[in-house]
Amino acid sequence: MHRRHVLLGVTPLVSGFSGCLGTLRSDGSLREVTVELANTDDRARTFHTALEAEGGMLDWESHRVDAGSTEEATITPDEDVTPVALHGAVEGFSGSVDVLGVGDLEEEYCLQFEFWASPPYADHPELSFVADTGC
């Protein structure tokens, strides 16, 4: 199976989610979004994630992750949607990853992200795209 890569940009937000994101068209179909929630901190954290599609924001989901643990959250759209961004919040951090380039996909695809509460290489949470669009 040939996997295609998409371009994504990370934008931390100071307060709330604002702005207008460009419209994307896709002949392919988004099957699911997987977000790895990593908490390397010494106390439990609650992660909040939401997928934004062309038609608007899908429901926010919250997941409590124990200290020193990693959990996987899956977002499965109920209908055919074109993703625009993944939004996330934990503690005082909020950010988003814009989804670009899915308009060229002609097959079903999945998106994978990582959301770290306390990454070992940074002093603030991080939300990022992982590798490619393969399911």
Side-chain angles (χ1 to χ4, degrees):
M1 175 172 137
H2 183 265
R3 292 184 178 190
R4 297 182 185 210
H5 298 276
V6 291
L7 302 173
L8 297 161
V10 177
T11 308
L13 302 174
V14 177
S15 62
F17 299 110
S18 61
C20 199
L21 299 173
T23 302
L24 300 174
R25 295 280 177 220
S26 175
D27 294 328
S29 178
L30 177 62
R31 188 164 78 187
E32 72 180 17
V33 175
T34 304
V35 185
E36 182 179 300
L37 307 170
N39 181 13
T40 58
D41 203 357
D42 59 357
R43 62 186 176 90
R45 303 261 183 176
T46 300
F47 291 79
H48 310 280
T49 58
L51 182 66
E52 182 177 356
E54 283 183 332
M57 191 76 73
L58 302 183
D59 291 336
W60 280 90
E61 296 184 9
S62 297
H63 301 274
R64 186 153 179 86
V65 179
D66 291 332
S69 297
T70 301
E71 291 187 18
E72 190 173 277
T74 303
I75 301 168
T76 306
D78 292 338
E79 56 190 59
D80 188 20
V81 298
T82 299
V84 173
L86 178 76
H87 300 282
V90 63
E91 295 292 316
F93 171 85
S94 62
S96 65
V97 178
D98 295 339
V99 178
L100 307 171
V102 294
D104 294 336
L105 300 176
E106 296 176 3
E107 65 277 346
E108 279 193 344
Y109 61 95
C110 297
L111 299 175
Q112 296 107 25
F113 298 88
E114 287 183 348
F115 191 1
W116 288 77
S118 302
Y121 48 81
D123 60 353
H124 57 80
E126 180 180 283
L127 177 61
S128 61
F129 175 67
V130 179
D132 60 48
T133 59
C135 292

